[in-house]
Amino acid sequence: MFPIRRNRRFRTNEAMRALVRETSITPNDFIVPIFVVEGQGVKEEIDSMPNYFRYSLDLLENEVKELWSLGLKSVLLFVKVPDNLKDNAGKEALNPNGLMQRAIKTVKNTCPDMLVMTDVALDPYSMYGHDGIVENGKILNDATANFLAEMSVSHAQAGANIVAPSDMMDGRILAIRNALDGQGLIDTGIMSYSAKYASAFYGPFRDALDSAPVDLEHIPKDKKTYQMDFANRIEALKETQMDIDEGADIVMVKPGLCYLDIVREIKNDVDVPVAVYQVSGEYAMLKAAAEKGWLNHDAVMLEQITAIKRAGADIIASYFAKDVIKLINR
Ligand code: PBG
């Protein structure tokens, strides 16, 4: 009899396919990025991210309640800092009554069990749009790492469960761990953006926070002296291993779809949870193609998210989180 094995038997109908499906998506897979702004009653759509919004703290409450009702239990907070509070050193980031610190408290007061993660980086606070302190045309490493450690303590004291340094300075995980432990904040976790590439896919995010590097002489115009070269693979493993050795609880690959080879390799290599950030440009691409009627939005969204998990992501930060869960709950 030929053929001996008929693989198509498992594909004959949806119940059969569901029975043997290797990867499934649940609300537990997701981290929801949230953009926060000052003001009252503000819910403004981000131009390059259709159907994604910046919220003022009062409206953040409703959003958080909706996420919780959908089973989404982790948020990752980003703040849009008013221009007059930006400087080179990120001083406002340490303000115990700053927007991030108030946002953390707002989420915790609204939904005490929601896991609150915070972006730890200078760029939203930097007048130059860089993730570090700039001096003589260079991004300072150690001074920035020490600053990020203080920023992490401030977030943790405001109630953050996990701090998420997204800057790519050398040694910052160790600096942050030491600073947290020094304040007795031993239960605050660190999710490290460990293999973060210098990517053109971050454009819409920089629109959302108005945080793009400025176009000034003597100021680097891109982030290539700290974020990784997208041509590199072995370097991603080294960065990730070093972050684990320094105390990272969760490691991350970013962006998502173009980097799934890196995700799989890291997943095979490490014994901590691996997160993947499906970034703003990935979101924008699908929205644009769907708006033109060139792609089926929901089908492509689910395919992409499933591919990220199949590649080895234990955790996915995605602007599609809510849409995906609404889709699979339908
Ligand atoms: C900044 C930061 C960026 C993102 C997360 N944190 C942008 C950057 O590095 O320039 C990108 C997220 C996205 O594009 O969705 N520290």
Side-chain angles (χ1 to χ4, degrees):
M1 275 278 268
F2 179 84
I4 302 294
R5 299 180 71 183
R6 289 186 181 272
N7 295 332
R8 289 184 57 193
R9 198 170 286 137
F10 277 145
R11 301 177 202 139
T12 46
N13 58 52
E14 177 50 25
M16 187 71 99
R17 290 189 293 271
L19 184 72
V20 298
R21 187 161 293 139
E22 297 173 40
T23 309
S24 50
I25 303 297
T26 84
N28 297 329
D29 297 324
F30 288 102
I31 298 169
V32 184
I34 299 190
F35 299 116
V36 181
V37 279
E38 293 286 3
Q40 274 279 320
V42 183
K43 178 183 178 182
E44 40 185 34
E45 190 171 22
I46 298 149
D47 287 342
S48 47
M49 298 180 73
N51 203 34
Y52 220 81
F53 302 88
R54 304 181 194 92
Y55 296 95
S56 55
L57 295 179
D58 52 335
L59 297 191
L60 177 62
E61 293 183 13
N62 306 338
E63 181 61 16
V64 166
K65 282 182 199 154
E66 192 194 343
L67 294 176
W68 188 258
S69 74
L70 290 167
L72 292 162
K73 295 184 281 291
S74 314
V75 293
L76 176 56
L77 300 178
F78 296 93
V79 291
K80 182 169 188 288
V81 180
D83 276 346
N84 65 319
L85 295 177
K86 296 187 184 187
D87 59 22
N88 185 24
K91 190 166 83 274
E92 173 62 15
L94 302 183
N95 178 354
N97 198 33
L99 183 56
M100 175 61 92
Q101 288 79 356
R102 279 177 284 134
I104 296 165
K105 289 176 189 157
T106 301
V107 177
K108 281 292 175 190
N109 289 338
T110 309
C111 216
D113 296 326
M114 181 72 83
L115 208 60
V116 175
M117 308 188 180
T118 56
D119 185 54
V120 171
L122 268 177
D123 51 324
Y125 298 93
S126 162
M127 61 197 279
Y128 300 129
H130 275 291
D131 293 46
I133 300 161
V134 185
E135 202 175 276
N136 299 327
K138 292 207 164 125
I139 314 300
L140 299 184
N141 191 88
D142 299 8
T144 300
N146 288 332
F147 184 83
L148 296 172
E150 281 186 71
M151 191 170 166
S152 300
V153 167
S154 172
H155 292 183
Q157 285 171 340
N161 301 100
I162 294 182
V163 293
S166 64
D167 57 293
M168 292 298 283
M169 298 302 129
D170 289 324
R172 90 277 208 217
I173 302 301
L174 184 60
I176 291 171
R177 189 69 268 162
N178 281 341
L180 291 170
D181 288 358
Q183 296 295 319
L185 297 160
I186 56 169
D187 287 330
T188 307
I190 304 176
M191 177 170 75
S192 169
Y193 289 60
S194 19
K196 176 170 178 175
Y197 288 88
S199 169
F201 283 99
Y202 306 149
F205 172 96
R206 295 176 189 170
D207 293 342
L209 296 188
D210 184 25
S211 62
V214 297
D215 191 6
L216 282 179
E217 218 187 328
H218 306 307
I219 302 294
K221 306 223 173 334
D222 58 46
K223 301 189 176 185
K224 290 180 183 169
T225 68
Y226 42 108
Q227 298 178 347
M228 280 178 51
D229 183 340
F230 56 72
N232 294 353
R233 179 176 66 86
I234 294 162
E235 190 185 4
L237 299 176
K238 175 177 72 178
E239 283 281 1
T240 304
Q241 195 53 58
M242 286 175 70
D243 283 359
I244 294 171
D245 294 344
E246 289 178 29
D249 299 286
I250 300 172
V251 293
M252 188 198 280
V253 177
K254 179 187 179 185
L257 286 173
C258 292
Y259 298 83
L260 295 187
D261 56 330
I262 308 297
V263 174
R264 171 46 61 189
E265 207 152 352
I266 286 175
K267 178 62 187 166
N268 288 346
D269 212 46
V270 305
D271 60 0
V272 303
V274 176
V276 171
Y277 202 138
Q278 184 187 37
V279 302
S280 58
E282 303 181 60
Y283 178 86
M285 276 201 302
L286 175 51
K287 290 289 170 190
E291 254 171 39
K292 282 194 169 277
W294 291 349
L295 286 177
N296 175 332
H297 179 275
D298 288 354
V300 172
M301 171 179 75
L302 197 59
E303 184 175 334
Q304 292 184 333
I305 291 287
T306 305
I308 291 171
K309 189 164 177 191
R310 190 198 59 225
D314 299 296
I315 303 167
I316 305 170
S318 172
Y319 304 102
F320 288 117
K322 223 162 80 170
D323 293 347
V324 171
I325 296 311
K326 284 183 180 166
L327 180 69
I328 58 185
N329 282 348
R330 216 154 56 199

